Amino acid sequence: MMALSLPLQNLSAAISATGNATTAASRPPKGRRWEVHSVVSNTSAAVPVQFGGYEEGKLERPKWTGETPLSRLVKAIISFKPLYSVLKLGARRVLISTAEKNNIPWRKMAKDILESEVYREMDIIQNQSLVYPDYYLNPFHAYEEGNLTWLAAAEAEAATMSMVRRVVPNASSLEEASQILRGNWLLAIEQHHIQYSESSVINDILDIGCSVGVSTKYLADKFPTANVTGLDLSPYFLAVAQHKEKTVMPRKTPLRWIHANAEDTGLPSKSFDLVSLAFVLHECPTRAIVNIVREAFRLLRPGGTLALTDLSLKSKVLQELSPVLFTLLKTTEPFLDEYFLTDMEETLTEAGFVNITSILTDPKHVTVTATVPQ
């Protein structure tokens, strides 16, 4: 890490100077704002106090996003390939070292997957005729091949665990952090569906962008009588998900895995009561976000619930990230700006959704729920 420390320190100083020189980021984006209601809000859509209070920042969005001087500086730094390579390597090392300092055995978990029989699952799960959208071929998360690699799939669960631990740093353990982050997300889904659907029963669930199935399993545990399907563009991730599911006690209702494009799944219309998008949309350009939301609307039955959880532009924690951290974040997330500039409420409304509710369910993430009219 010593080889990286000096460039990152210099980077921090340069970006801090630029960030302090501008207030342009405080201007609101055009159109309607993606509003996040705090848990102490008096609005009827607010979720009860079980969630605990999470503080919103004072800006409309982090000043390192959009077309601000600070954002343009970060883009220029990232576009300089020699420095980008250093930053990408630095981001990866930070992720791994942070995880292992939090007692998450990143390297061992990945090694166990890569030395297992996971490769047998590829032929079962892969849709050979699937054409990948251009944006999906970008490098993601410091992997040159993005999500289309065994290494990314092998490390995905450890990376997810590390994310949870970082988001809830005051939790006494990973288990407690998971209970907070996942529990609040699931509670928001459950309460929205009970409030706005004529039937509180959820029989069929689609988890879009399921990765290696972590969110899918949480949904299946929360709604044990439902048929739960995980869908992802990466056959590598799905192979790991299917492999790991075979190593645990069989479920009464087995999980199903589908290799498909979330923008055009090919699944029957009106076939799900709940469609979930957990930590997916920040990896998509605006055009894909719009298409995925429209596809979710098509797939849901009348009264069905869409639930998306992702980075919150109103998060105080994200708005106050240090220059090094937000630069490393943007190095690994090529569509972060487009995500933060997407008017999510408008996107959902134009797709036909109603009862749109947004709430901070942890210090960094917003959970947005919406209903298909009945």
Side-chain angles (χ1 to χ4, degrees):
M1 289 297 290
M2 286 300 294
L4 294 170
S5 61
L6 287 178
L8 292 180
Q9 287 173 5
N10 294 337
L11 176 67
S12 178
I15 294 177
S16 293
T18 302
N20 292 335
T22 179
T23 58
S26 61
R27 300 190 193 112
K30 293 180 179 179
R32 282 178 292 174
R33 181 165 62 90
W34 179 2
E35 187 170 328
V36 180
H37 307 294
S38 70
V39 293
V40 294
S41 169
N42 290 322
T43 63
S44 60
V47 180
V49 75
Q50 292 101 309
F51 286 92
Y54 298 113
E55 191 174 359
E56 295 181 1
K58 296 179 180 179
L59 305 175
E60 291 297 322
R61 62 181 184 271
K63 61 186 176 182
W64 40 266
T65 63
E67 289 302 319
T68 66
L70 179 58
S71 181
R72 287 196 293 270
L73 173 61
V74 175
K75 286 180 181 178
I77 290 168
I78 293 173
S79 65
F80 183 57
K81 292 200 178 294
L83 184 53
Y84 170 76
S85 298
V86 172
L87 291 172
K88 188 168 64 174
L89 177 61
R92 176 169 170 75
R93 288 182 175 178
V94 167
L95 287 171
I96 296 173
S97 64
T98 301
E100 298 197 332
K101 285 177 184 176
N102 284 316
N103 298 316
I104 298 166
W106 181 301
R107 293 180 178 89
K108 183 182 184 303
M109 290 175 69
K111 183 172 181 286
D112 289 346
I113 290 292
L114 294 172
E115 293 181 356
S116 72
E117 297 181 349
V118 67
Y119 308 99
R120 295 182 179 181
E121 307 298 337
M122 180 65 83
D123 291 338
I124 302 171
I125 207 74
Q126 186 173 22
N127 176 3
Q128 296 282 0
S129 64
L130 185 64
V131 177
Y132 296 101
D134 56 353
Y135 71 86
Y136 199 71
L137 303 177
N138 278 272
F140 286 98
H141 305 152
Y143 301 105
E144 192 60 37
E145 296 168 305
N147 295 330
L148 297 173
T149 169
W150 283 114
L151 182 60
E155 294 184 337
E157 184 172 11
T160 300
M161 293 165 66
S162 183
M163 176 274 289
V164 171
R165 199 70 180 90
R166 292 195 308 274
V167 169
V168 195
N170 295 327
S172 61
S173 64
L174 173 63
E175 290 71 24
E176 182 182 336
S178 297
Q179 288 173 2
I180 293 170
L181 187 146
R182 303 289 183 179
N184 287 349
W185 161 62
L186 291 169
L187 183 59
I189 293 172
E190 180 181 48
Q191 293 192 350
H192 183 99
H193 194 79
I194 290 172
Q195 182 173 357
Y196 294 111
S197 178
E198 288 183 357
S199 171
S200 61
V201 177
I202 295 178
N203 292 314
D204 299 286
I205 300 173
L206 178 64
D207 187 24
I208 291 178
C210 67
S211 182
V212 295
V214 176
S215 55
T216 320
K217 293 170 187 176
Y218 272 98
L219 287 165
D221 291 342
K222 177 66 175 177
F223 305 102
T225 62
N227 300 303
V228 182
T229 300
L231 181 147
D232 204 273
L233 257 175
S234 173
Y236 300 89
F237 286 2
L238 292 170
V240 170
Q242 187 161 275
H243 166 75
K244 291 182 72 67
E245 191 65 9
K246 288 180 177 179
T247 65
V248 298
M249 184 176 297
R251 297 175 184 270
K252 184 176 181 180
T253 306
L255 302 181
R256 184 169 66 130
W257 310 102
I258 297 178
H259 181 213
N261 186 345
E263 297 178 68
D264 184 13
T265 64
L267 296 172
S269 298
K270 301 179 181 179
S271 52
F272 295 95
D273 303 298
L274 169 64
V275 170
S276 170
L277 288 152
F279 313 113
V280 174
L281 296 186
H282 73 275
E283 296 184 2
C284 301
T286 300
R287 68 182 190 276
I289 293 174
V290 170
N291 289 337
I292 291 170
V293 167
R294 288 174 178 170
E295 178 70 351
F297 186 87
R298 183 186 70 82
L299 292 170
L300 282 164
R301 297 177 178 125
T305 297
L306 171 67
L308 67 90
T309 188
D310 220 310
L311 296 171
S312 170
L313 76 172
K314 292 289 287 180
S315 162
K316 186 174 187 291
V317 174
L318 289 179
Q319 290 186 4
E320 297 179 359
L321 278 181
S322 71
V324 167
L325 289 180
F326 68 63
T327 302
L328 292 180
L329 177 61
K330 294 187 82 169
T331 300
T332 63
E333 301 289 359
F335 299 108
L336 201 58
D337 273 349
E338 288 198 49
Y339 165 74
F340 274 131
L341 292 172
T342 300
D343 188 326
M344 197 61 64
E345 182 179 350
E346 184 176 81
T347 300
L348 293 171
T349 300
E350 289 181 351
F353 286 100
V354 295
N355 304 324
I356 300 167
T357 305
S358 304
I359 186 166
L360 285 170
T361 43
D362 65 58
K364 289 185 181 179
H365 300 111
V366 62
T367 295
V368 183
T369 46
T371 309
V372 172
Q374 304 191 62

